[in-house]
Amino acid sequence: MSVVDGSAARAEIVFVVQATTASQLRAAFPASDDELAASGLQLCRRSSLHPGRHEVLSAPESTCVQTVAALGWSAPRIVTDLRDGGAGEWRGRDLASLSPDELQRWRSGEAPPGGESVDDLCGRIRRVIAGIGGGRYVAVVPQGVARAAVLVALGLPASSIWRMDAEPLAAVAVARRSDGELRLRLRTV
C-alpha cells in the first residue's frame, strides 16, 4: 500500500530507524531473508520509544515489522514506498566484496545493477512526504530511508547521504506545513 493522496494538510512523520539487523552486523546489503539481530531485539526491549498518538507505519521489510513488534507497538500500516533503496544484484552481498570501482560508482550516484540510485530513493521519499494525508505518523524504516528523509527535508543533494549515520532506533521528524514547506525536527518519540 502506498501513502499518497495529494493532501496539502499539515503532517508530521517521525522516521525511526529499524533495530540492528543480521546484515548490518555483517556489513552487508540487506538480504531478502534478513532478520533482527539478537542485539537489535535487546535494544528494542530496553527502549523507551513510544508512538504516542501517532499512527504507526512501517516499511515492508520484515526487519522493520519485527522492530515494531519488538517495541510492543500496535500493528503497523505497511507502506511500500517506505522500502529501502533497492540493492538489486548486490542484495545480501558484503560491502567488502565490492571492487573499488563499484564502490566509487555507487557513492557517486550510480544505482547498483538492477537497483535504485540515491536520487531515486530521495524522489520516492519526497513523494511520500508530499502526498501523505494530514496527521501525525511514526514510521519504522531502514536507515537509508531515514537518511533520505533528512536530505529531502533540508533540500540537500543526494551525495550528502554519505556524510550522515543513522543508528538503530534513532528518530528524526519531518514536518510538512500547510503551504508544503518541510521542516526537520530533532525530537523524542
Side-chain angles (χ1 to χ4, degrees):
M1 174 179 197
S2 177
V3 175
V4 178
D5 71 2
S7 176
R10 295 170 74 149
E12 177 184 69
I13 306 173
V14 180
F15 292 90
V16 175
V17 178
Q18 69 187 1
T20 313
T21 69
S23 291
Q24 287 173 324
L25 292 179
R26 286 190 14 247
F29 288 93
S32 56
D33 61 348
D34 206 5
E35 292 187 1
L36 291 184
S39 59
L41 291 169
Q42 290 171 355
L43 185 63
C44 289
R45 285 196 274 286
R46 292 192 316 263
S47 173
S48 61
L49 286 175
H50 190 276
R53 295 181 183 194
H54 290 61
E55 179 183 351
V56 179
L57 309 175
S58 176
E61 286 85 357
S62 61
T63 51
C64 293
V65 176
Q66 290 169 9
T67 298
V68 170
L71 288 168
W73 295 359
S74 61
R77 177 163 46 119
I78 305 299
V79 180
T80 57
D81 285 347
L82 291 175
R83 69 189 176 280
D84 204 0
E89 295 174 17
W90 293 355
R91 185 169 270 298
R93 188 171 165 188
D94 291 349
L95 288 171
S97 72
L98 295 178
S99 72
D101 183 54
E102 287 174 314
L103 186 60
Q104 171 59 31
R105 286 195 322 263
W106 179 47
R107 290 192 56 143
S108 65
E110 191 175 305
E116 181 178 34
S117 70
V118 175
D119 276 330
D120 290 341
L121 171 63
C122 288
R124 179 164 41 84
I125 300 309
R126 183 177 297 107
R127 288 187 298 277
V128 168
I129 294 169
I132 198 163
R136 297 173 68 178
Y137 307 87
V138 61
V140 176
V141 297
Q143 65 157 319
V145 171
R147 292 167 34 196
V150 171
L151 298 180
V152 168
L154 296 178
L156 296 172
S159 60
S160 298
I161 203 164
W162 308 114
R163 299 186 67 192
M164 94 181 72
D165 294 322
E167 305 240 337
L169 299 188
V172 63
V174 175
R176 186 191 67 221
R177 295 175 11 157
S178 57
D179 64 3
E181 181 178 278
L182 301 181
R183 298 286 177 122
L184 185 70
R185 291 185 179 160
L186 304 178
R187 56 167 299 181
T188 57
V189 180

